[in-house]
């Protein structure tokens, strides 16, 4: 049994949702609303799942043992090792490393700087959080564009769908939310256009989630 604790617009949750759909893994999604009543991630129940009080969390029951896995890249690696087909890493060691590199450029070098908790803290300090997010997203995507242009085909790494693409598409969504001019990233837009034709990406999209606003 696999349960994903997710928030509809969380880019980290979105990555995991894509992987679950790509691999055809049966799962249940339990929404954790990051804004409702101060944030459901701060409840004792969710704190026990993830001491960092973030989403996503993947709850897995194996042989009557239940474990909770946090951090989206760790979850993706777990899914890749347990459900090996279709693969989300290329075959060659160099290509696998490049996929991980681009994924981490987003996961570690870009997304945390526009994380909801960071922006909330900045706003409380009187800092313009939107300008902050715009700056760091743009800086990150400039670097990802340059790196992906070296290896891209239909996807970030040639014509092989990988964890890099699962990180890229949600980050471009975030970029638009903060009025970043994504036309500056033609390689990334071409990859996004191809990815969004896939059913897994369509099904994982925030607007398709049970906790997405209906108005």
């Amino acid at each position: 049994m696999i349960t994903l604790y997710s928030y509809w617009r969380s880019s980290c949750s979105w990555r995991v949702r894509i992987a679950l759909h790509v691999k055809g893994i049966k799962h249940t999604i339990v929404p954790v609303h990051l804004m409702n009543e101060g944030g459901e991630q701060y409840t004792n129940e969710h704190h026990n799942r993830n001491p960092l009080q973030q989403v996503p969390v993947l709850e897995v029951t194996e042989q009557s043992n239940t474990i909770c896995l946090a951090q989206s890249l760790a979850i993706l690696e777990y899914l890749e090792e347990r459900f090996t087909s279709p693969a989300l890493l290329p075959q060659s060691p160099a290509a696998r490393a490049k996929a991980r590199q681009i994924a981490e450029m987003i996961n570690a070098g870009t997304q945390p700087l526009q994380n909801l908790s960071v922006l909330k803290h900045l706003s409380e300090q009187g800092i313009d959080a939107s300008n902050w997010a715009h700056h760091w997203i743009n800086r990150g995507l400039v670097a990802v564009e340059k790196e992906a242009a070296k290896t891209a085909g239909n996807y970030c790494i040639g014509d092989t769908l990988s964890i890099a693409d699962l990180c890229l598409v949600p980050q471009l969504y975030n970029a638009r939310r903060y009025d970043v001019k994504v036309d500056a990233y033609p390689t990334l837009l071409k990859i996004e256009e191809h990815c969004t034709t896939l059913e897994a990406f369509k099904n994982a999209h925030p607007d398709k989630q049970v906790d997405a606003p209906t108005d």
Side-chain angles (χ1 to χ4, degrees):
M1 179 176 170
I2 293 180
T3 301
L4 177 66
Y5 294 89
S6 170
Y7 178 60
W8 70 283
R9 204 164 59 181
S10 157
S11 58
C12 296
S13 299
W14 189 350
R15 302 166 190 168
V16 177
R17 293 197 303 263
I18 298 170
L20 290 167
H21 285 292
V22 167
K23 291 179 177 290
I25 300 168
K26 186 177 179 180
H27 63 282
T28 300
I29 289 183
V30 176
V32 177
H33 202 294
L34 302 187
M35 307 294 289
N36 188 39
E37 296 183 355
E40 294 175 359
Q41 69 273 32
Y42 299 121
T43 64
N44 289 335
E45 186 178 11
H46 194 73
H47 184 267
N48 289 334
R49 298 185 197 110
N50 180 4
L52 270 179
Q53 299 172 300
Q54 297 173 340
V55 291
V57 173
L58 194 74
E59 187 176 81
V60 182
T61 301
E62 294 181 343
Q63 299 177 346
S64 300
N65 294 320
T66 299
I67 61 169
C68 287
L69 302 172
Q71 301 302 318
S72 62
L73 266 291
I75 294 171
L76 293 180
E77 293 278 2
Y78 167 80
L79 295 175
E80 182 71 359
E81 291 178 6
R82 182 175 171 189
F83 304 93
T84 57
S85 180
L88 284 172
L89 285 169
Q91 290 189 346
S92 79
R96 292 165 79 89
K98 278 295 181 184
R100 290 184 170 107
Q101 176 186 342
I102 292 173
E104 287 292 4
M105 290 173 76
I106 296 168
N107 178 63
T110 307
Q111 188 277 331
L113 292 163
Q114 45 103 111
N115 186 279
L116 176 62
S117 61
V118 172
L119 299 185
K120 180 180 177 183
H121 178 73
L122 290 170
S123 294
E124 290 169 350
Q125 304 305 310
I127 298 170
D128 188 330
S130 292
N131 279 346
W132 168 281
H134 183 284
H135 170 79
W136 291 107
I137 293 171
N138 186 64
R139 180 180 182 273
L141 290 180
V142 166
V144 175
E145 168 73 21
K146 185 174 182 179
E147 193 61 37
K150 302 173 186 176
T151 57
N154 286 326
Y155 303 109
C156 288
I157 311 298
D159 292 328
T160 300
L161 180 66
S162 74
I163 61 173
D165 307 295
L166 273 58
C167 291
L168 173 63
V169 170
Q171 188 57 64
L172 287 172
Y173 177 95
N174 282 342
R176 294 183 178 98
R177 286 181 59 207
Y178 291 100
D179 297 321
V180 174
K181 296 187 183 304
V182 296
D183 290 348
Y185 320 120
T187 305
L188 305 185
L189 291 181
K190 180 182 175 183
I191 295 165
E192 178 191 42
E193 182 179 11
H194 189 80
C195 286
T196 53
T197 65
L198 304 178
E199 286 302 312
F201 282 78
K202 293 177 183 178
N203 292 332
H205 192 278
D207 293 346
K208 293 289 188 72
Q209 305 314 303
V210 295
D211 53 331
T214 55
D215 54 7

